[in-house]
Amino acid sequence: MINILMAKVFGTSNERELKRLMPLVERINALEPGMKQLSDEQLRAKTEEFRKTIRERLEGVEDPDEKDRLLNETLDEILPAAFAVVREAGWRVLKMRHFDVQLIGGVVKARRWSRPCRST
């Protein structure tokens, strides 16, 4: 009974997680008009821009923990633009646009995949 009451007041863990992710989805959606303006070549070039950003950020960093921290920070920074590029590419190639719920699923999966699992 207490769990039901707490879920009504605070929301379920899934509802809280969705609430936390919605601003990110809104940022991805806000980038959509700009992505539509890019040529196919400019859209393709975005991938190399992302790679260059990651390379530059990690250049010269030797400490594995610091490298992991910087990588995760950088991936979080480029994630909205990367997802906006993928969404636009999907539309251009397949004539299918990712729904917001698909973006949420992709973000959850990307974040889980990008986090290193270290055993100490």
Side-chain angles (χ1 to χ4, degrees), residues 59-106:
E59 191 174 308
V61 178
E62 297 298 325
D63 178 48
D65 291 329
E66 180 66 9
K67 197 173 231 179
D68 287 343
R69 188 190 67 74
L70 283 173
L71 176 61
N72 288 328
E73 185 180 286
T74 306
L75 291 174
D76 283 344
E77 288 174 16
I78 66 174
L79 189 137
F83 273 60
V85 166
V86 169
R87 179 184 254 181
E88 181 59 23
W91 174 251
R92 290 182 188 190
V93 174
L94 302 171
K95 297 296 183 224
M96 299 174 109
R97 183 180 177 274
H98 292 85
F99 291 106
D100 289 352
V101 70
Q102 291 169 307
L103 297 177
I104 291 169

Side-chain angles (χ1 to χ4, degrees), residues 47-69:
T47 300
E48 187 51 41
E49 284 179 35
F50 300 144
R51 288 179 180 149
K52 181 180 176 192
T53 299
I54 293 167
R55 275 194 309 269
E56 288 173 353
R57 188 70 66 90
L58 298 179
E59 191 174 308
V61 178
E62 297 298 325
D63 178 48
D65 291 329
E66 180 66 9
K67 197 173 231 179
D68 287 343
R69 188 190 67 74

Side-chain angles (χ1 to χ4, degrees), residues 10 36-37 65 76 120:
F10 299 109
K36 289 199 175 299
Q37 300 298 317
D65 291 329
D76 283 344
T120 53

Side-chain angles (χ1 to χ4, degrees), residues 2 10 12 27 44 60 79 86-87 115:
I2 207 109
F10 299 109
T12 65
R27 286 176 50 204
R44 265 189 236 101
L79 189 137
V86 169
R87 179 184 254 181
R115 304 303 187 242

